[in-house]
Amino acid sequence: MSAHLSIRNLIKRFGGLTATNDFSLEITPGSSVGLIGPNGAGKTTIFSQIMGEVRQDSGQIALDGLELTPLATARRIRAGVSRTYQVPRPFAEMSVAENIRVGLMPDNIWSMIAQGPDPDRELELALSVGFTKDQLEKLPSELSMGDLRKLEMARTMATGPRMMLLDEVFAGLTVGEIAMISGLVQQMRADGMTFLIVSHDLKALEPLIDRAVAINHGTLIADGPYDEVMNDAAVRASYLGT
Amino acid sequence: MGLRWYHFALWAAFAAGMFLLPEIVPRGTLRTIIFANFLAIFAISWDTLSGRTGYVSFGHPFLIGIGAYTTAILTKRFDVPVEISIPLAVLMTMVGGLIVLLPALRIKGSYFALVTLAMMELMYQLVQVIRPDLTGGTRGMSGLPTLTRGAVNGFYMSTALMLSIAFTTWLLMKTRLGTALSAIGMNEEAVAGSGLSVTRLKLVAFTASAFTAGLGGAVYVHYLGSIAPRALFDINFVFTIIVAALIGGAGTTIGPILGAFFLTFLLEYLRPWLPGAERYLIYGGVALVLYMYQPKGLIYLMGQAVRRVRKGAA
């Protein structure tokens, strides 16, 4: 279930702006890393490059030794890495169950046609992120922001990842919802899932990670245990503004 | 999304009702229904690609034209029997359409619509100037072999074809493939983010759409016994197909059929009062009002009515 992510010398420029500047990172199987930094530091751009939604200018990204760079997003997901988005992206006219169904689909046209959906698995995933059974037929327009994030989690989990990238997974959630998602992440960690988590909610993030990585202007400025990173002078100067 | 026994019962009742029509309605009405059937086939074809995935095609006659011209040329110029020329025409539509339009599937929104519109216009110009000895040039071709004679036989043939295409499309769209295609129309990035190859899915939608367009186009010319480029590659024809799907209910299978019948009969009933092109003004107005009132189309209005009746009965 675990995966080993290796990022080496990643560089991405948008015109004159260097969004990712020679960024390297190793995440060992089953560990959980927090990616922190101020707004615009380049955290989401790193996620997008890992998923192939944005192509790096140079550098390598490998999952368990498999070079991801030439692969399209769908192939990377099938290789075992999946992500959530800062702004949830539900299928607006599909119910909660149907949204999860899309994540559960095999990337094979004949299997899509020949095999029916798996309502038990859809229900299991929905319940695991905290939905109730009677919410399965609800449309995204009827859900709160917290529920939309849960739906995003469920659809991401449905793709069967060994590594999950969570982007601002706590934004807009209530205290109860944060506790619920945290519990879910902890449970998946216990099962061996590898995580890379971006969150501005440091209080919620701290108990979920083994180590923190701080970046600013796309450059890695600190990497180590959470307390050490938060006390790092460069991190305090750039991220905390002190 | 699941299949229920009553779905099949409703299809059976629909088919039975259609096939009983020659006993009830006059010959003139049957002829109108034949045209409605063909329009329904073209609208289903358009909807398979555009209604589901959101890739709006303004050049569907391009695909219909490949099917129609292939079979017309094969039968007229090379004496190929219709039983062979029609499958070849369908194959040609799928292959030819793919070669030409496949690159266009990588572009989105209005650009895709413009490219498809350009393809239709290009085909219109090409059939007139390239090998007019084969295509018949601006005059097209007449005297093509016909599949049936008389309104009743034509009705049975077109109805059987329309129902077969509609039922097969409906079954296909009830599978997870249909769900995935609809998901593309809602959020293409999220489909890719769910681990599905969007390009492959669009390719399937396009191929299925081309199959239906090619088959419909090929059979249509052998119903008419003639082919005229000006009528086929006409912008009014494009709009009629799109409007049929939209006012009937895009993203559904029954919607385009409802829309096609509604439009065909509307145009037909307007004919005694407005024999000229003014009819299109009225039909455009009616379509606009209907679409503004309920963008989900007639199928949704019917669903609402059924729900109200059920509620009243309960």
Side-chain angles (χ1 to χ4, degrees):
Chain A
M1 176 143 184
S2 302
H4 175 201
L5 182 76
S6 174
I7 300 174
R8 286 187 191 160
N9 309 108
L10 206 61
I11 295 177
K12 178 67 194 175
R13 293 190 186 90
F14 295 108
L17 175 80
T18 303
T20 310
N21 188 12
D22 201 22
F23 179 81
S24 297
L25 179 69
E26 292 287 329
I27 303 180
T28 53
S31 64
S32 177
V33 173
L35 182 61
I36 60 173
N39 282 333
K43 306 181 291 289
T44 298
T45 306
I46 290 173
F47 271 24
S48 300
Q49 289 172 91
I50 296 171
M51 296 311 300
E53 295 153 345
V54 168
R55 295 282 172 165
Q56 71 263 33
D57 295 331
S58 63
Q60 289 86 43
I61 303 167
L63 191 76
D64 288 333
L66 172 71
E67 181 56 45
L68 297 181
T69 308
L71 305 182
T73 302
R75 294 276 308 277
R76 294 180 194 216
I77 291 168
R78 296 299 159 198
V81 58
S82 207
R83 75 171 285 189
T84 65
Y85 293 87
Q86 212 169 340
V87 179
R89 299 175 166 190
F91 301 114
E93 288 169 44
M94 288 187 185
S95 66
V96 167
E98 286 168 335
N99 265 274
I100 297 172
R101 188 172 305 161
V102 176
L104 281 171
M105 282 183 197
D107 193 22
N108 178 302
I109 301 298
W110 296 118
S111 301
M112 279 183 188
I113 295 170
Q115 293 163 14
D118 184 350
D120 292 340
R121 182 78 182 123
E122 288 165 15
L123 178 64
E124 188 189 332
L125 281 163
L127 295 179
S128 74
V129 296
F131 281 115
T132 56
K133 203 173 175 180
D134 57 359
Q135 282 182 302
L136 277 183
E137 294 310 313
K138 280 195 182 299
L139 291 172
S141 57
E142 300 169 296
L143 300 177
S144 66
M145 175 52 83
D147 286 338
L148 289 173
R149 291 215 180 275
K150 289 192 287 191
L151 181 57
E152 185 99 340
M153 278 288 281
R155 204 177 63 221
T156 306
M157 288 159 61
T159 62
R162 290 176 295 125
M163 170 162 203
M164 286 176 74
L165 316 177
L166 307 182
D167 197 353
E168 293 295 355
V169 74
F170 301 120
L173 299 196
T174 63
V175 174
E177 286 168 338
I178 289 173
M180 200 279 305
I181 296 282
S182 296
L184 181 66
V185 171
Q186 294 287 25
Q187 190 194 318
M188 285 195 280
R189 283 186 65 193
D191 292 339
M193 178 74 76
T194 310
F195 281 103
L196 180 59
I197 308 172
V198 165
S199 177
H200 276 106
D201 188 339
L202 299 176
K203 202 173 142 195
L205 179 68
E206 186 186 356
L208 301 182
I209 56 175
D210 303 312
R211 83 180 213 262
V213 169
I215 60 169
N216 194 24
H217 301 304
T219 306
L220 190 145
I221 52 173
D223 182 350
Y226 178 81
D227 288 336
E228 251 177 51
V229 168
M230 295 313 288
N231 287 319
D232 184 277
V235 174
R236 294 180 76 84
S238 66
Y239 182 62
L240 301 173
T242 58
Chain B
M1 285 265 176
L3 296 172
R4 301 276 185 276
W5 66 267
Y6 61 83
H7 289 143
F8 295 97
L10 284 171
W11 273 104
F14 178 37
M18 286 292 286
F19 283 119
L20 279 175
L21 283 177
E23 309 296 327
I24 308 163
V25 301
R27 294 284 185 270
T29 308
L30 287 184
R31 286 199 182 87
T32 308
I33 294 175
I34 292 170
F35 286 104
N37 280 334
F38 280 111
L39 180 57
I41 291 167
F42 300 140
I44 290 170
S45 165
W46 181 88
D47 191 73
T48 303
L49 175 67
S50 305
R52 308 275 171 180
T53 68
Y55 277 72
V56 176
S57 161
F58 273 96
H60 234 60
F62 167 70
L63 295 173
I64 298 165
I66 296 177
Y69 265 99
T70 303
T71 189
I73 291 169
L74 287 174
T75 51
K76 180 84 176 173
R77 312 292 184 208
F78 301 100
D79 293 323
V80 176
V82 174
E83 306 84 61
I84 296 172
S85 72
I86 290 180
L88 285 175
V90 174
L91 195 66
M92 187 68 187
T93 310
M94 290 161 74
V95 175
L98 267 180
I99 291 169
V100 177
L101 277 177
L102 189 61
L105 283 174
R106 291 194 173 272
I107 54 176
K108 289 183 186 175
S110 47
Y111 297 105
F112 177 79
L114 282 173
V115 167
T116 53
L117 184 62
M119 291 318 302
M120 181 184 80
E121 189 57 29
L122 187 69
M123 181 121 176
Y124 177 47
Q125 301 299 336
L126 284 179
V127 296
Q128 293 179 84
V129 294
I130 295 199
R131 297 295 303 272
D133 55 318
L134 285 181
T135 64
T138 49
R139 291 165 63 183
M141 281 177 272
S142 55
L144 301 173
T146 51
L147 289 166
T148 58
R149 287 192 192 284
V152 176
N153 289 336
F155 168 83
Y156 282 128
M157 181 196 68
S158 63
T159 301
L161 183 68
M162 186 276 284
L163 286 173
S164 309
I165 287 172
F167 184 68
T168 310
T169 306
W170 175 79
L171 269 182
L172 195 64
M173 293 306 153
K174 278 284 179 190
T175 67
R176 291 189 293 177
L177 174 66
T179 308
L181 296 183
S182 299
I184 291 177
M186 293 173 210
N187 194 330
E188 190 173 324
E189 285 77 18
V191 175
S194 303
L196 303 178
S197 166
V198 177
T199 306
R200 193 188 301 158
L201 285 167
K202 285 190 290 191
L203 200 66
V204 170
F206 180 83
T207 310
S209 176
F211 174 89
T212 307
L215 182 59
V219 175
Y220 190 49
V221 289
H222 290 299
Y223 165 72
L224 293 175
S226 63
I227 185 167
R230 196 173 177 146
L232 190 58
F233 305 115
D234 180 13
I235 196 76
N236 277 332
F237 183 40
V238 181
F239 284 127
T240 307
I241 294 170
I242 297 175
V243 170
L246 289 182
I247 67 166
T252 68
T253 307
I254 299 297
I257 301 173
L258 273 179
F261 273 71
F262 177 80
L263 277 190
T264 310
F265 275 90
L266 179 69
L267 283 171
E268 201 51 36
Y269 285 129
L270 284 172
R271 193 187 292 272
W273 291 282
L274 296 166
E278 304 86 10
R279 278 185 301 157
Y280 285 94
L281 193 69
I282 304 288
Y283 125 94
V286 170
L288 187 68
V289 169
L290 258 175
Y291 193 67
M292 285 174 73
Y293 175 66
Q294 183 45 264
K296 289 183 178 175
L298 291 168
I299 186 85
Y300 188 78
L301 289 175
M302 283 177 67
Q304 270 185 328
V306 169
R307 279 192 289 276
R308 258 191 226 121
V309 170
R310 272 191 191 161
K311 214 173 170 183

